[in-house]
Amino acid sequence: MTDFVSLPFYDLFHENGHVPGIREKLPSLLTGVRRSILEIGAGSGLITTSIADWTPAEIFALEPSAGMRGMLLSRLNARPELLKRVTVLPCDALGVDLDEPVEAMVLINVLYALDPEYRRRLWPVLATQLEPDGLLVFTWRDGGPPAPGPLEELESCQVGRHTYTVLSEITESDGERCEARYVYRVTENDKVISEEEISGYAYRPVRDVIEAELAGAGFVRADAPDGLLAWRLGLQQF
Ligand SMILES: C[S@@+](CC[C@H](N)C(=O)[O-])C[C@H]1O[C@@H](n2cnc3c(N)ncnc32)[C@H](O)[C@@H]1O
């Protein structure tokens, strides 16, 4: 779950990070979705409001981190027309329990946060929340976790007189899991105003693993642009 240390940095670095690519690739996959979408790990809502612009669907934006939810609700509040159409769910993905199955589910940059046991339990739960032939889309990077490497600057951003910088290093890598250390630094000229760090695990399963898990839960692979995987819930189980 997202740590409070990283929250002030989130939009500064992600609006121009993964978001432009997702905004280019996701709309075509959602063509035809008109009734309902579940977005799992909606974060600060960078993708949520875009989904609302692309489709007329009702949106369920699930986000377990209270800090992220606060940012998401502020973003929605700045778009009052969306307040009737987007419901913010405060649970984690395994706790999802909708009144009716949705037409589509989207996880953008969330899979990496789910450990293998959690992930294997998740697919069958999602299958119960998706309508027959419904769409499941998530971001995907193949090839397993990155190898350990030194602390490097990822990006920095000027805000008034201050510079916000994020650095990271991979401290350990084993199987599908790696441990990353992140340093969040604010400076003015060369003076460090604040510096905090967090470490956490990330998971990068290889394609065969994810395909076997999803097929086992009744999903059938569909076409998707590079960087995304799409699945449809097989009709045979209904
Ligand atoms: C990197 S952020 C991505 C946020 C948003 N999807 C975006 O693209 O900007 C990952 C999000 O996944 C959420 N998350 C982590 N574990 C989760 C879980 N078990 N269930 C649902 N969301 C989770 C985190 O709280 C965080 O907001």
Side-chain angles (χ1 to χ4, degrees), residues 146-162:
L151 188 68
E152 284 176 348
E153 180 177 321
L154 292 181
E155 226 180 322
S156 77
C157 176
Q158 197 70 27
V159 182
R161 296 185 179 199
H162 294 171

Side-chain angles (χ1 to χ4, degrees), residues 2-23:
T2 312
D3 200 288
F4 276 94
V5 169
S6 63
L7 284 176
F9 291 75
Y10 192 82
D11 279 8
L12 290 178
F13 294 105
H14 288 86
E15 182 81 57
N16 297 321
H18 69 291
V19 170
I22 297 299
R23 287 191 180 139

